[in-house]
Structure formats: C-alpha cells, structure tokens
Amino acid sequence: MVKLIAKSPCADLLPLHVGDLVLEEVEARLTVLARYDGAATESDAALRAAHGVGFPAVGQSNEVGPVRVLWFRPDQAMLIGPAPAASLWQDHAVTDQSDGWCQVRLKGDAGDQVLARLVPVDMRLSVFGVGAVARTELFHMPALITRVSDIELEIMVFRSMAGTLVHDLKGAMKSVTAQQALRG
C-alpha cells in the first residue's frame, strides 16, 4: 500500500541563503473572508470581536499578536493564523485557502532590490511601508506581497508555482548579491 506524505509547497527548495539574503517558507493557515454586499460595518465589527483586528483598508494589513489580516481584493481579506471564528460566517463567505498558496519570506536589507528585478511595483521601504500589501505580478505569476518589517517581505503565489517562485527569486538574489560584491 502506498503511503502518502504531505509536503509543504517549497519542500526541499528552502531555506535559501544568498549573501546576506534569506528566503524561507512560511506555513500558516490562510482563510479568505469575502464580505457580503452591504455588510462592511458588520464585517469589521465581527472580525474585531472574534480576532481583535479590523478589516484592512485597501493595500494594507492589520496585525495583533499571531493574527494577521491582509487586504486581498475589494471587499475581501486574507486571515492568516487562527481558524476563523464561527461568528464570521454571518457576514462573510469564508474559504480555507491554506493548501492553495505558497508563502515565503524574503529577509535582508536588499529585499526591495531583489523584487525590483521581478515586480512592476516600487517596493522600497519609503514607498511600500511596513504593513503595505500589493496584488501584483512577480515576473509572470500573480502574487500577493506584504512588507512585514523594514527588512522582510512576504510573498504569496499559487502553490502550483512554488518551484518557479523560488527559481526566479534565487536568480534575482544572486544578481543583487553579485552587484553588491562588485561595489565592494
């Protein structure tokens, strides 16, 4: 009898260290909360009551302890961390997305330079501050990118694109590191 073994999207691919840059996989429960029409106020109140964090503004994220909520698209948010409270079902369509996404964290002072080679959005800290979220394209993949700290960027793509994501980020990480070495 065949024994199936669950693997994460980036199993055997990460962590990756290139110079001062580190790419690591993040494993967390991911739940999309899609507000029902006309339920914006109720939605925010329900999320605050259930998890202590409000529905994020467009292009932003909210975080309280281990609970994070990212803007996902108009009237939708991604709850990261806990299982969604049952009370959220009254004002939202709730969908577990944990197995559908690959989530990685790029750490290092030059993370924005790495993404500058792959993303058509200015990822510099001065423009894309801590808590900012962008739905964009990474090279040729749809991606959700969040600035987690001054030197950390979290990147999410569909699980089926995990290998391509790591490949593309690795090439950009090598390029940035080589150029830094040339500058001395």
Side-chain angles (χ1 to χ4, degrees):
M1 179 171 186
V2 175
K3 186 172 185 173
L4 299 176
I5 300 170
K7 288 186 172 187
S8 68
C10 293
D12 305 325
L13 299 174
L14 297 178
L16 178 63
H17 300 264
V18 179
D20 294 333
L21 295 162
V22 178
L23 186 64
E24 298 174 327
E25 185 169 23
V26 177
E27 292 188 64
R29 182 183 189 115
L30 306 172
T31 306
V32 170
L33 305 173
R35 289 177 169 166
Y36 292 137
D37 286 341
T41 303
E42 297 84 352
S43 162
D44 187 64
L47 193 53
R48 287 181 191 280
H51 295 289
V53 61
F55 207 91
V58 174
Q60 296 298 310
S61 63
N62 295 326
E63 182 174 349
V64 175
V67 179
R68 295 176 53 223
V69 182
L70 312 179
W71 174 83
F72 194 63
R73 60 187 306 159
D75 290 321
Q76 291 186 15
M78 176 83 76
L79 174 66
I80 300 177
S87 59
L88 295 176
W89 289 76
Q90 182 174 337
D91 302 303
H92 304 89
V94 179
T95 311
D96 183 358
Q97 297 286 314
S98 303
D99 287 341
W101 290 85
C102 166
Q103 190 175 8
V104 299
R105 192 164 287 186
L106 177 61
K107 299 178 184 180
D109 290 330
D112 55 352
Q113 294 173 42
V114 170
L115 290 183
R117 287 152 173 75
L118 302 168
V119 177
V121 175
D122 190 343
M123 292 285 154
R124 291 176 297 162
L125 181 60
S126 61
V127 177
F128 195 73
V130 175
V133 176
R135 288 287 304 251
T136 186
E137 189 175 277
L138 191 145
F139 199 47
H140 57 278
M141 298 172 281
L144 181 70
I145 302 174
T146 306
R147 179 166 295 275
V148 179
S149 75
D150 289 359
I151 62 165
E152 293 178 288
L153 292 150
E154 194 169 88
I155 304 155
M156 296 172 61
V157 299
F158 296 125
R159 180 186 183 106
S160 62
M161 299 176 180
T164 303
L165 174 68
V166 172
H167 174 268
D168 293 347
L169 286 170
K170 182 178 181 180
M173 290 166 70
K174 285 181 175 182
S175 173
V176 167
T177 299
Q179 288 179 0
Q180 287 176 335
L182 287 174
R183 280 183 247 145

